[in-house]
């Protein structure tokens, strides 16, 4: 086959298909094959033409359906077959999405690629929960951290730096280690009464949220029996959630 393969690393956004970029949708329509993650919603998968091959490589914490090395191999092999490949990733490829690793693999194999940003969970879930990530007098900066290290390594973070009362803290993949995160933040000086939120299945019709305090966050999540995908938002801006909520009431 003389046709040259090409890979588009595409962000699918946080779940609502309407939040995908025009370019992302166009690439789905033009693809030969779509390699997609577990967190890509059914509504987004329905945008893929029935004539396009699909390869599911979904991963869950503690249940790695397809190891990252094998995902890399699948993408490379599909491209080397001369196909137009869309690697469809939840959120944004370069925000805790391991998109950089996949891009480096493609570079190593001399496979041309592009990266199409998507709305990351922090932005999408906060907006759909009535929480501005920044707000004058409440938050001067935003911190994005992961609550789960690769290969279940210990969560070794600079808690003193992270526990900033004038910032908004957004935690990806934070459920498993949430008790440790909460205790570490409080021990580092962040007030136990700091507003905190958890958002499950953000931007979709099954979205659920918990608005509480840092000290009560883990108990509230347990009571609601929340399960991944959940994004955690901590900071003064969470106090605006009820007043600025526009989405939650619309899905009840």
């Amino acid at each position: 086959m003389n046709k040259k393969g090409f890979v588009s690393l595409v962000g699918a956004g946080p779940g609502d298909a309407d939040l995908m970029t025009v370019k992302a949708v166009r690439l789905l329509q033009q693809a030969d094959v779509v390699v997609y993650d577990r967190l890509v919603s059914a509504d987004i998968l329905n945008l893929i033409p029935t004539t396009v091959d699909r390869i599911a490589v979904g991963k869950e914490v503690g249940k790695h359906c397809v190891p990252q090395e094998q995902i890399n191999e699948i993408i490379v092999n599909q491209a080397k077959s001369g196909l137009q490949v869309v690697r469809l990733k939840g959120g944004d490829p370069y925000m805790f999405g391991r998109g950089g690793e996949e891009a480096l693999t493609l570079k190593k194999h001399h496979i041309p690629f592009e990266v199409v940003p998507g709305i990351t969970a922090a932005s999408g879930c906060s907006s759909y929960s009535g929480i501005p990530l920044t707000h004058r007098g409440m938050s001067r900066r935003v911190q994005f951290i992961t609550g789960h290290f690769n290969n279940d390594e210990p969560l070794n973070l600079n808690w003193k730096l992270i526990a900033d009362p004038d910032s908004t803290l957004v935690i990806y993949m934070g459920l498993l280690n949430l008790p440790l995160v909460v205790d570490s933040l409080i021990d580092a000086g962040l007030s136990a009464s700091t507003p905190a939120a958890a958002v499950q299945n953000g931007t979709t019709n099954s979205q659920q949220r918990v608005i509480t305090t840092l000290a009560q966050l883990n108990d509230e999540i347990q009571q609601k029996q929340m399960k991944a995908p959940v994004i955690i938002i901590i900071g003064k801006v969470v106090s605006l959630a009820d007043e600025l909520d526009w989405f939650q009431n619309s899905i009840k």
Side-chain angles (χ1 to χ4, degrees):
M1 183 179 292
N2 295 323
K3 181 181 174 185
K4 191 173 181 66
F6 188 88
V7 176
S8 299
L9 300 174
V10 176
D16 184 350
D18 287 344
L19 294 180
M20 290 187 69
T21 63
V22 173
K23 184 171 185 177
V25 175
R26 174 173 60 78
L27 289 171
L28 289 181
Q29 302 294 319
Q30 298 172 347
D32 294 315
V33 58
V34 176
V35 182
Y36 66 94
D37 282 343
R38 177 181 67 91
L39 293 181
V40 175
S41 70
D43 287 343
I44 291 173
L45 293 178
N46 288 336
L47 297 174
I48 304 172
T50 56
T51 54
V52 176
D53 289 336
R54 306 181 188 189
I55 301 176
V57 292
K59 294 184 294 181
E60 295 183 58
V61 175
K63 298 180 181 179
H64 294 291
C65 177
V66 181
Q68 184 63 49
E69 294 74 16
Q70 189 174 340
I71 294 175
N72 295 347
E73 184 178 344
I74 289 170
I75 299 168
V76 167
N77 288 340
Q78 293 294 316
K80 284 186 174 179
S81 298
L83 301 178
Q84 299 296 299
V85 182
V86 168
R87 172 68 174 109
L88 191 59
K89 305 174 75 65
D92 180 272
Y94 280 0
M95 182 65 80
F96 299 122
R98 305 189 76 168
E101 297 174 43
E102 294 173 5
L104 286 171
T105 299
L106 295 170
K107 187 75 173 178
K108 176 182 176 182
H109 288 271
H110 308 289
I111 295 170
F113 68 91
E114 65 180 341
V115 180
V116 182
I119 292 178
T120 187
S123 179
C125 296
S126 63
S127 295
Y128 276 54
S129 298
I131 303 170
L133 290 178
T134 64
H135 190 81
R136 187 169 60 178
M138 288 187 176
S139 176
R140 296 179 177 177
R141 66 189 182 109
V142 184
Q143 302 183 84
F144 303 115
I145 70 169
T146 174
H148 178 80
F149 280 5
N150 193 29
N151 299 322
D152 296 321
E153 297 171 8
L155 197 61
N156 184 18
L157 296 168
N158 187 339
W159 296 108
K160 284 288 185 182
L161 180 64
I162 293 169
D164 177 5
D166 293 321
S167 78
T168 303
L169 176 61
V170 183
I171 305 170
Y172 289 70
M173 299 169 286
L175 279 187
L176 188 64
N177 288 316
L178 187 59
L180 170 63
V181 170
V182 169
D183 289 345
S184 298
L185 288 171
I186 293 174
D187 289 345
L190 193 61
S191 172
S193 63
T194 301
V199 186
Q200 174 182 290
N201 296 322
T203 79
T204 73
N205 287 334
S206 58
Q207 173 176 304
Q208 291 189 58
R209 66 173 195 172
V210 161
I211 307 297
T212 182
T213 64
L214 179 59
Q216 296 297 318
L217 182 59
N218 193 60
D219 288 342
E220 293 275 357
I221 288 175
Q222 295 296 323
Q223 289 176 14
K224 282 286 187 74
Q225 297 183 328
M226 283 186 156
K227 297 180 180 179
V230 171
I231 198 106
I232 307 295
I233 307 170
I234 300 168
K236 298 173 187 175
V237 290
V238 176
S239 64
L240 298 170
D242 289 334
E243 186 175 0
L244 298 183
D245 174 41
W246 59 272
F247 180 70
Q248 202 71 22
N249 292 330
S250 71
I251 62 176
K252 290 180 180 179

